[in-house]
Amino acid sequence: MREYLYKILVVGDLGTGKTSIIRRYVHNIFSTNYKSTIGVDFALKVIQWENDLIVRLQLWDIAGQERFGNMTRVYYKEALGAIVVYDVTRPQTFEGVTKWKNDLDTKVALPEAWGGGKIPVILIANKSDLIQEGHGQHVNPTEMEQFCNENGFIKCFEASAKDNTNIEEAARYLVSSILKIEEENADKISLLQQQQETVRLDKDRQQQPQQSSNSNCC
C-alpha cells in the first residue's frame, strides 16, 4: 500500500468562501455562519485513490488578508499544489486572483526531485448558486481558458460550496496533476529519499557513544 501526503494551499480574498469549500470537501457540510479565518486553519482529507494508493491532503486555509503580511512565505513552505478562490458575485475579488498567483509563484516551488518549477494551481469561481438569484454572471469558458493559460492556472472550475457543485471535481483534478508530476519523477524522488536515509543513518552512527576500551580486570 502506497501513501502520499500532499500539502495544498487554499487562498483568495476575504469572504470568497475558502473555508466553505474546505468544509464541504472534507466534511460535506455547509453553513452560512463561518467566521472569517484569522491567520491560517487546517483540515485533513484522506482519499482511497486506488486499491493500493492512499492520498492524504493537508489543506491550509489561508486568511484573505494574509497576502498583505509577511507570513505567507512560512505558510506556503513545502506546498505541492494550491487553489485560488474568487467570488463570482464580487468582481473585485477576481482582480485579486493574479496577485495571489504571483504571491504563490514567488514564494513556493516544487522540490528539485520533482523537477522544480511552479506548483500546480487551479482557480475556483465560487458561489455560482447566487447567479440564479441575479448576482454575478457565469464564467465564459473560452475567456477563462485563455486567462488560465496566460496566468499559469492549470484549470478553472465554476463551483458552489453551498450546492456542492464542482468541489470534488476541482480537488480531484488538482490531486491528479500532483500525482502525475510525482510519478513522472518517481526515480529521482526515490533516489533522493535513499540518499537522505543514508545520511541520516551515518549521522546516527556518529552520534552513538563509543564503547570504552579500558579493561577492568584485576
Side-chain angles (χ1 to χ4, degrees):
M1 178 67 70
R2 295 172 296 153
E3 289 193 20
Y4 295 150
L5 174 64
Y6 296 151
K7 176 179 175 178
I8 307 294
L9 307 172
V10 183
V11 302
D13 286 356
L14 188 68
T16 52
K18 301 182 295 295
T19 302
S20 295
I21 287 172
I22 292 173
R23 297 283 179 85
R24 172 62 80 181
Y25 179 56
V26 175
H27 305 294
N28 196 26
I29 59 175
F30 177 82
S31 172
T32 57
N33 298 322
Y34 295 139
K35 294 181 180 179
S36 296
T37 302
I38 299 175
V40 62
D41 200 359
F42 309 92
L44 181 66
K45 173 80 169 181
V46 181
I47 310 168
Q48 185 74 49
W49 192 265
E50 295 174 354
N51 290 335
D52 63 342
L53 174 59
I54 292 176
V55 176
R56 299 179 185 274
L57 299 183
Q58 191 181 67
L59 298 155
W60 285 51
D61 183 0
I62 312 292
Q65 61 269 27
E66 286 298 321
R67 183 169 55 83
F68 304 100
N70 298 318
M71 288 299 293
T72 52
R73 188 178 299 276
V74 177
Y75 297 151
Y76 293 173
K77 188 177 181 181
E78 298 181 348
L80 296 173
I83 300 169
V84 178
V85 184
Y86 79 95
D87 180 346
V88 293
T89 71
R90 293 189 292 142
Q92 65 271 25
T93 63
F94 182 72
E95 296 172 6
V97 162
T98 52
K99 296 175 183 177
W100 279 105
K101 182 62 166 61
N102 291 335
D103 197 49
L104 291 166
D105 291 345
T106 56
K107 294 178 180 177
V108 64
L110 292 171
E112 285 188 24
W114 288 55
K118 299 174 182 178
I119 64 173
V121 182
I122 62 170
L123 179 61
I124 288 186
N126 193 32
K127 304 187 183 181
S128 62
D129 55 283
L130 295 178
I131 296 175
Q132 298 179 6
E133 300 177 13
H135 305 286
Q137 59 182 3
H138 287 290
V139 171
N140 182 304
T142 302
E143 293 179 358
M144 190 53 69
E145 182 178 0
Q146 181 179 352
F147 175 85
C148 289
N149 291 336
E150 292 174 351
N151 292 277
F153 292 94
I154 59 174
K155 196 172 180 63
C156 174
F157 291 85
E158 185 176 281
S160 167
K162 181 179 181 180
D163 292 346
N164 197 16
T165 304
N166 274 340
I167 302 299
E168 181 78 29
E169 290 80 358
R172 190 168 186 85
Y173 190 90
L174 178 60
V175 174
S176 295
S177 300
I178 299 172
L179 278 168
K180 182 179 179 181
I181 297 172
E182 173 147 15
E183 290 169 355
E184 288 175 347
N185 295 278
D187 292 341
K188 289 192 293 183
I189 294 171
S190 178
L191 178 60
L192 179 62
Q193 290 174 339
Q194 291 174 12
Q195 291 173 343
Q196 291 174 339
E197 181 66 14
T198 300
V199 170
R200 187 187 67 79
L201 290 173
D202 289 342
K203 187 176 181 180
D204 289 345
R205 291 193 189 99
Q206 293 172 5
Q207 292 176 345
Q208 289 178 356
Q210 296 182 352
Q211 294 181 351
S212 175
S213 60
N214 295 331
S215 175
N216 294 324
C217 295
C218 296

